[in-house]
Amino acid sequence: MKNRFTLTALLIASSLALAGCGAKQPDIDRIQWISMGTVAAVQSTDSARLPEARDRAQKIYGRLESRFSAWTDSSELARVNARAGEARTPLSPEFAFVASNAFAFCRASDGAFNPLVGSIMKVWGFNGAKATPKVPDGDTLKAAAALADWTQASLSGDSIHLAKGMKLDFGAIAKGYAVDAVYDELISSGYTNILIDLGGNLRATGESAPRRGGWRVGVRDPFKKYGVLATFLLRPGEATATSGNYERFVTIGNVRYSHIMDARTGTPVRGMAGVTVIAPTGLTADGLSTTLFVLGPKAGAKLLASYPKCEALWIPDTPGKVTLLATAGFAKRLTPMGKVGYTISVVE
Ligand code: AMP
Ligand code: MG
C-alpha cells in the first residue's frame, strides 16, 4: 500500500516537472515508463529516435538498479552492506565512483548529506522495512544515528570498510548519476535534441522550440496535487533535480514524515517542502538538492558558494504562506505561472 502510494506521488511529481512548459509544444514527443522505482521518460522534437533513446536508457537503468537498489538482496549495494563489520570489500569502478562522490558531499556538508543513512531509513519504515511504521524511541534513534557515523567508514580507491551494522544508501544521488550516464551515451550516439527525466532528475540538450535556448521546465507546487508554481529554462547540457517532502513519506498517526533524514539526529527533516537545484551534471544536482534540503537556505547558500554554476530554490513547508527562496541566479530564471499567490525572496 505504502509503495503504491509512493509511486502515485512520483508519477505526479515527474509529469508536472515536464508539463510545466507553459507554451504550446505541438512537436515534442515523450515516452514514459517505470524504472529504478520511479517514472522514467525521454522527450524530443525528433520522435523517430525516441524509441532507441528509451531502449538505451533502460539498459543503463537496469544495470544501475542492480548496483544501487536498496530494495533487493542481490544488488552490489546489498552485498556491500551485508559485509559491514568484515574486512575491506572490493567495489566495481562505477560503485566506487558514486561512493566517492557521495562521501565528498558528506564531508563538504559536515554530514548533512550522509550516504550511511540506510539504518535510519529502516527504523522509520522506509526501504522495504517490514513492520508497520512507528516513531522510533530515543534509544533506537541514537543507535541508528550512531550507525551513520561516516568517520567510521573508510573508502579508499576501489574498496570500502563499513563498521558492523552500517548501511549505505545512495537514494539521494544514484538517479542523478543515472541521468548523466544516459546523457553521455546519447550525446556520444549523436543525439542533439533530448530531455532525459528520471523521477524529476532532468538533463537535456538542444531546445524544446527554435530559439528558446533550452527546455522550459516546471517547479511543482508542493502543496497541491497538480500544479506548477513557476517555470525556468534549463540550458543545453544542464541538469536539475528536486528533493521534496511530498515525494516519499510515511504517515504515523496523523503526521507525515519525509524520506529525507537529518542523519545527525536520526530524524526526518521538518520545515522544508521542496528544494530544486540547477547544476552542470545530474549527479551534482541530485546530491546538492538533498544536501540543501537538510541544510536549509542559510547554511545551504553558504555551501553553494563552493559549487560553481549551481543555483538553488527552497520552498519552506508553510502552505498558508507560500514563499520561494532563490539564489540570485535562480530568481532571474523564474517565470511565475498563473495567478501568483506567493512571494520570491533572494537568498544571499
Ligand atoms: P532525494 O530525493 O534525491 O533528495 O533523495 C532522498 C533519498 O536519499 C531518500 O529516500 C534516502 O534514500 C536518501 N537519504 C535520505 N536522507 C539523506 C541524507 N541526509 N543524506 C543522503 N541521503 C539521504
Ligand atoms: Mg538528491
Side-chain angles (χ1 to χ4, degrees):
M1 187 63 195
K2 179 156 59 83
N3 292 349
R4 210 180 67 203
F5 190 78
T6 299
L7 192 59
T8 312
L10 284 168
L11 271 165
I12 294 163
S14 182
S15 57
L16 280 175
L18 291 163
C21 303
K24 223 171 119 211
Q25 297 187 336
D27 300 327
I28 294 178
D29 272 334
R30 170 183 167 92
I31 302 180
Q32 176 175 303
W33 71 106
I34 300 295
S35 199
M36 291 182 80
T38 190
V39 182
V42 281
Q43 206 167 313
S44 178
T45 54
D46 180 3
S47 55
R49 293 198 75 189
L50 265 188
E52 182 201 331
R54 185 257 333 268
D55 293 348
R56 284 177 184 268
Q58 181 43 36
K59 209 165 157 205
I60 290 170
Y61 296 151
R63 181 185 85 222
L64 297 181
E65 191 148 23
S66 71
R67 289 211 193 289
F68 300 122
S69 174
W71 292 82
T72 121
D73 289 342
S74 58
S75 64
E76 183 171 356
L77 181 102
R79 280 183 275 124
V80 171
N81 285 342
R83 283 181 48 82
E86 296 185 26
R88 299 192 72 79
T89 304
L91 306 173
S92 67
E94 191 163 46
F95 195 104
F97 176 79
V98 170
S100 87
N101 277 283
F103 279 102
F105 279 117
C106 184
R107 281 189 302 274
S109 65
D110 205 13
F113 183 101
N114 189 331
L116 290 165
V117 77
S119 306
I120 300 172
M121 297 301 286
K122 284 266 186 221
V123 300
W124 282 95
F126 290 99
N127 294 358
K130 304 243 169 359
T132 312
K134 55 177 193 200
V135 175
D137 61 41
D139 287 347
T140 308
L141 283 183
K142 236 171 146 181
L147 289 174
D149 179 359
W150 49 283
T151 62
Q152 299 303 308
S154 103
L155 174 75
S156 96
D158 58 0
S159 73
I160 194 164
H161 169 75
L162 301 176
K164 197 169 182 324
M166 282 184 160
K167 278 190 194 356
L168 287 169
D169 176 332
F170 292 146
I173 198 172
K175 291 188 184 73
Y177 171 76
V179 162
D180 287 342
V182 171
Y183 177 85
D184 291 344
E185 167 146 338
L186 295 184
I187 293 289
S188 65
S189 307
Y191 282 77
T192 54
N193 183 284
I194 194 90
L195 179 85
I196 302 151
D197 178 6
L198 184 59
N201 292 270
L202 313 183
R203 195 160 175 196
T205 192
E207 45 188 9
S208 52
R211 292 178 298 284
R212 181 166 283 165
W215 290 75
R216 191 152 275 285
V217 299
V219 176
R220 185 189 157 168
D221 184 342
F223 309 112
K224 292 211 178 101
K225 219 169 181 185
Y226 305 97
V228 172
L229 287 175
T231 66
F232 64 91
L233 191 73
L234 192 66
R235 298 180 188 133
E238 283 182 339
T240 180
T242 296
S243 292
N245 69 354
Y246 49 85
E247 281 179 359
R248 253 180 101 195
F249 50 83
V250 289
T251 307
I252 310 175
N254 282 331
V255 184
R256 251 199 206 189
Y257 294 94
S258 133
H259 67 130
I260 300 174
M261 302 291 163
D262 187 332
R264 299 164 293 192
T265 57
T267 52
V269 174
R270 305 193 73 165
M272 194 54 65
V275 175
T276 297
V277 169
I278 302 169
T281 67
L283 186 143
T284 305
D286 196 4
L288 277 180
S289 70
T290 312
T291 310
L292 301 185
F293 191 98
V294 180
L295 286 179
K298 201 162 168 232
K302 211 167 146 209
L303 179 79
L304 212 49
S306 39
Y307 290 87
K309 297 190 177 153
C310 293
E311 303 291 347
L313 170 71
W314 290 263
I315 307 178
D317 196 6
T318 50
K321 186 177 182 296
V322 181
T323 309
L324 274 53
L325 305 172
T327 56
F330 209 129
K332 263 190 233 147
R333 290 200 199 192
L334 282 173
T335 306
M337 287 280 283
K339 203 170 131 250
V340 179
Y342 56 83
T343 53
I344 302 177
S345 303
V346 173
V347 181
E348 300 299 342

